[in-house]
Amino acid sequence: MQDIPFYSGGYKFMVTEAPVMKMREVKGEMVPAVDKQSGEASFVVMLFAKPRQPGKNGRIGKGEEIKVTLATDPGEGFDEGTYVELIDPVLNTWQTTNDEGRITGSGLWFKAEGLKPAGAGAVRDAA
């Protein structure tokens, strides 16, 4: 399954590494990664995702860092420590298999159309 939409409002996201153009290696040379359908350059941003509400145990989870591929250039103003929201986030799965067909690795990756500052009067710096 690919591009599964998900609700991200239950998390707050803080930029831990500013967005940069996504690159890939082709014949030993780094080139911009482009979307297969649109031909537009992709970008990546590292975010710290932390739940907004306490879990069943009454505590808010510690959160984790995730990498998100962005379909568009988010522009300026998304420096480290900035709180953001994802625009149209989706989730994808991947897996690798060996020569015998056994699954040797699997995981998730995140993608969004873009970023926007979190809420009106958004917090711009980490506390």
Side-chain angles (χ1 to χ4, degrees), residues 41-101:
S42 297
F43 291 78
V44 293
V45 63
M46 295 298 292
L47 302 175
F48 188 77
K50 185 168 182 157
R52 291 184 184 277
Q53 301 295 322
K56 292 178 183 178
N57 63 3
R59 291 186 272 168
I60 293 180
K62 291 185 181 244
E64 69 180 84
E65 190 171 47
I66 61 172
K67 181 188 284 189
V68 180
T69 299
L70 304 172
T72 58
D73 182 352
E76 298 294 318
F78 295 105
D79 299 319
E80 185 176 332
T82 304
Y83 284 87
V84 297
E85 294 177 19
L86 299 173
I87 301 170
D88 297 329
V90 295
L91 174 57
N92 289 280
T93 62
W94 63 269
Q95 75 177 25
T96 55
T97 56
N98 63 15
D99 293 337
E100 291 83 39

